[in-house]
Amino acid sequence: NAGVTQTPKFQVLKTGQSMTLQCAQDMNHEYMSWYRQDPGMGLRLIHYSVGAGITDQGEVPNGYNVSRSTTEDFPLRLLSAAPSQTSVYFCASRSTGGYYGYTFGSGTRLTVV
Amino acid sequence: AQSVTQPDIHITVSEGASLELRCNYSYGATPYLFWYVQSPGQGLQLLLKYFSGDTLVQGIKGFEAEFKRSQSSFNLRKPSVHWSDAAEYFCAVGARSGGYNKLIFGAGTRLAVHP
């Protein structure tokens, strides 16, 4: 089925470890973004991309890196995980003409111990 | 600064009862407003959206929302709740920042439905 695919669904990391959360979409969407969801705070924008090779920071970018080498993929990297990064991470995408019509993935639940 | 407030963290209703979830926004221009639903372990699904025109918006699953500019509100309603409506609901406003159309979310309202 067409959509946004996130892997893994669950992950436990030790403080200081690194990992990459994967996000792939097969809808040829130009715009992609990463959000984190924390209790009582809704979803907050981490990084976004308006096309291959173009990325920028959102509201809470510290501790995260992104790159966009292809239209389909938008991985999120944690270089040195911290307990404050324990959260549920959502990837979303939309077409250029889709304005605010985002499609969300099913999320990655990350725990940093 | 743009913001979204959902005053109710948790709401419990009986199956078959009516439902209203509150949402207030702060935005300088005409807002683009959304309601999303998140079922346990799932991503976010768009219920409905308001861009312009008729202030009463119909969505999926029998939900509707009314935009009231004078009250800066966009409350979500359903006349008769089903047990499958138990989920978390997020109100969001669209905001343009640095050439990017992003969504600003409220903290969410968790809905429980009693049989």
Side-chain angles (χ1 to χ4, degrees):
Chain A
N1 292 337
V4 178
T5 302
Q6 292 184 237
T7 56
K9 291 190 181 302
F10 303 93
Q11 184 70 48
V12 178
L13 286 180
K14 293 182 178 179
T15 297
Q17 286 185 317
S18 63
M19 81 159 295
T20 300
L21 309 185
Q22 301 292 345
C23 175
Q25 52 89 12
D26 58 3
M27 298 171 285
N28 202 32
H29 284 173
E30 290 295 320
Y31 290 75
M32 297 186 74
S33 52
W34 278 100
Y35 288 84
R36 61 177 288 172
Q37 181 186 21
D38 301 294
M41 303 189 73
L43 282 78
R44 293 177 292 167
L45 182 64
I46 305 172
H47 284 287
Y48 64 91
S49 170
V50 299
I54 306 170
T55 64
D56 207 342
Q57 298 180 350
E59 304 168 59
V60 288
N62 292 340
Y64 308 96
N65 283 345
V66 293
S67 60
R68 184 97 179 270
S69 56
T70 67
T71 299
E72 294 77 19
D73 300 300
F74 190 43
L76 179 71
R77 297 183 184 85
L78 286 71
L79 298 180
S80 179
S84 61
Q85 294 178 303
T86 294
S87 187
V88 181
Y89 292 85
F90 287 99
C91 181
S93 73
R94 69 170 179 91
S95 62
T96 306
Y99 212 54
Y100 291 100
Y102 288 95
T103 299
F104 283 82
S106 59
T108 296
R109 183 175 294 275
L110 175 68
T111 302
V112 183
V113 297
Chain B
Q2 306 100 336
S3 65
V4 176
T5 301
Q6 294 180 246
D8 305 304
I9 299 174
H10 295 280
I11 284 183
T12 300
V13 300
S14 298
E15 190 168 17
S18 63
L19 172 70
E20 183 170 28
L21 303 183
R22 296 182 292 164
C23 172
N24 294 98
Y25 67 89
S26 173
Y27 191 69
T30 300
Y32 299 102
L33 296 162
F34 307 82
W35 275 100
Y36 284 85
V37 61
Q38 183 183 26
S39 298
Q42 302 297 313
L44 277 72
Q45 181 182 22
L46 180 66
L47 282 176
L48 47 79
K49 60 188 176 186
Y50 171 78
F51 282 7
S52 64
D54 193 346
T55 56
L56 186 61
V57 180
Q58 302 297 320
I60 63 172
K61 304 184 179 185
F63 285 92
E64 66 178 25
E66 186 171 13
F67 170 59
K68 293 185 177 180
R69 184 186 299 276
S70 62
Q71 299 177 19
S72 297
S73 69
F74 189 56
N75 294 349
L76 182 71
R77 301 193 294 247
K78 187 170 185 178
S80 179
V81 171
H82 188 263
W83 64 265
S84 61
D85 292 324
E88 190 156 21
Y89 293 80
F90 292 95
C91 181
V93 64
R96 191 154 182 89
S97 175
Y100 187 75
N101 297 333
K102 68 177 183 180
L103 292 171
I104 297 173
F105 288 87
T109 297
R110 186 169 296 277
L111 174 67
V113 180
H114 279 315

